[in-house]
């Protein structure tokens, strides 16, 4: 049972790190990245679908994203979806391809983005600490029920703390990488 708790905690912490990483990918950092468009959905023949299912997305230049719809008739819908999104980028089209030119970030915008990234990282750290609390509470209950000895409890809690430290470090590494990306000129 003790190992099952460790596995459950590790699985939840891993998912938390993945969520933080996905959040970071969607934050624009002055460089063209197709992942910026992952959250955009388009109405396509009456269904709302992700943009990457109705078009090919590529980055032909460091500051440009090219979107080529599979069906040219969906061009207007894709354009509308991008304009409605929180990207803050106006699409330009030639009738076949949509181009998104990623503007240079201002110093003020960089500072704002770093604040956002730090807040997302803190949310991830809090979630991991909550998992630690859940794990420790489960272990204490097991000890109370006589399933663990006091020594086993201490050892299991140490293992939970090691997992917590490792996953918080992963979030820190993601944060440092994203901050560098945002501050790149």
């Amino acid at each position: 049972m003790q190992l099952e708790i460790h596995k459950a905690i590790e699985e939840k912490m891993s998912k938390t790190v993945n969520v933080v990483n996905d959040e970071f990918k969607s934050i624009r950092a002055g460089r063209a990245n197709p992942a910026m468009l992952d959250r955009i959905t388009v109405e396509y023949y009456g269904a709302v679908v992700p943009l990457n299912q109705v078009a090919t997305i590529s980055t032909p230049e460091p500051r440009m994203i090219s979107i080529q719809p599979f069906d040219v008739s969906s061009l207007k819908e894709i354009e509308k979806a991008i304009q409605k999104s929180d990207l803050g980028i106006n699409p330009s089209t030639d009738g076949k391809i949509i181009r998104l030119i990623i503007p240079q970030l201002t110093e003020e915008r960089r500072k704002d983005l770093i604040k956002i990234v730090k807040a997302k990282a803190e949310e991830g750290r809090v979630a991991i600490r909550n998992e630690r609390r859940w794990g420790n509470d489960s272990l204490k209950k097991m000890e109370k029920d006589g399933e663990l000895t006091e020594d086993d409890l201490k050892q299991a809690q140490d293992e939970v703390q090691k997992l917590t430290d490792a996953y918080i470090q992963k979030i820190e590494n993601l944060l440092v990488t994203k901050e560098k990306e945002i501050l790149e000129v």
Side-chain angles (χ1 to χ4, degrees):
M1 183 66 182
Q2 173 185 343
L3 290 174
E4 289 175 25
I5 289 176
H6 286 130
K7 284 180 183 175
I9 292 169
E10 190 163 11
E11 192 176 299
K12 290 178 179 185
M13 288 181 177
S14 180
K15 285 180 183 176
T16 299
V17 169
N18 289 338
V19 167
V20 170
N21 192 28
D22 290 344
E23 291 281 335
F24 284 179
K25 284 180 184 175
S26 69
I27 295 174
R28 182 165 72 86
R31 195 178 341 139
N33 181 353
M36 293 166 43
L37 306 175
D38 284 352
R39 293 185 177 173
I40 296 178
T41 55
V42 180
E43 189 165 326
Y44 187 67
Y45 290 108
V48 178
V49 295
L51 175 59
N52 61 7
Q53 290 184 10
V54 295
T56 302
I57 302 169
S58 61
T59 52
E61 296 174 23
R63 295 186 117 32
M64 184 191 339
I65 296 177
S66 172
I67 304 165
Q68 186 166 12
F70 300 136
D71 179 1
V72 181
S73 66
S74 64
L75 196 75
K76 292 284 182 218
E77 286 298 324
I78 293 172
E79 209 172 349
K80 279 185 209 171
I82 292 169
Q83 288 170 339
K84 285 184 199 172
S85 74
D86 61 355
L87 281 178
I89 301 173
N90 269 332
S92 65
T93 181
D94 64 3
K96 293 180 183 174
I97 296 175
I98 297 173
R99 289 181 182 79
L100 302 177
I101 307 299
I102 311 298
Q104 200 68 327
L105 293 174
T106 64
E107 195 61 34
E108 185 179 323
R109 182 67 179 142
R110 287 178 201 275
K111 288 177 184 174
D112 290 344
L113 287 174
I114 286 179
K115 284 180 191 173
I116 292 168
V117 167
K118 285 182 177 180
K120 301 274 183 210
E122 183 57 27
E123 287 173 15
R125 288 189 290 262
V126 167
I128 285 175
R129 288 187 204 111
N130 287 338
E131 296 306 329
R132 175 185 61 194
R133 186 178 326 110
W134 172 83
N136 285 336
D137 289 348
S138 299
L139 291 168
K140 285 176 188 171
K141 184 181 182 308
M142 287 174 69
E143 185 210 19
K144 187 178 172 187
D145 294 345
E147 296 175 46
L148 286 177
T149 66
E150 200 173 315
D151 289 343
D152 288 343
L153 172 67
K154 179 72 175 130
Q155 188 178 2
Q157 286 178 329
D158 289 345
E159 188 63 34
V160 169
Q161 186 59 47
K162 285 178 188 171
L163 285 172
T164 303
D165 294 342
Y167 280 95
I168 284 181
Q169 186 58 51
K170 288 180 181 186
I171 289 179
E172 287 304 312
N173 294 344
L174 290 172
L175 175 62
V176 167
T177 303
K178 191 64 178 183
E179 282 180 331
K180 283 181 186 173
E181 187 181 314
I182 290 170
L183 293 172
E184 262 180 17
V185 178

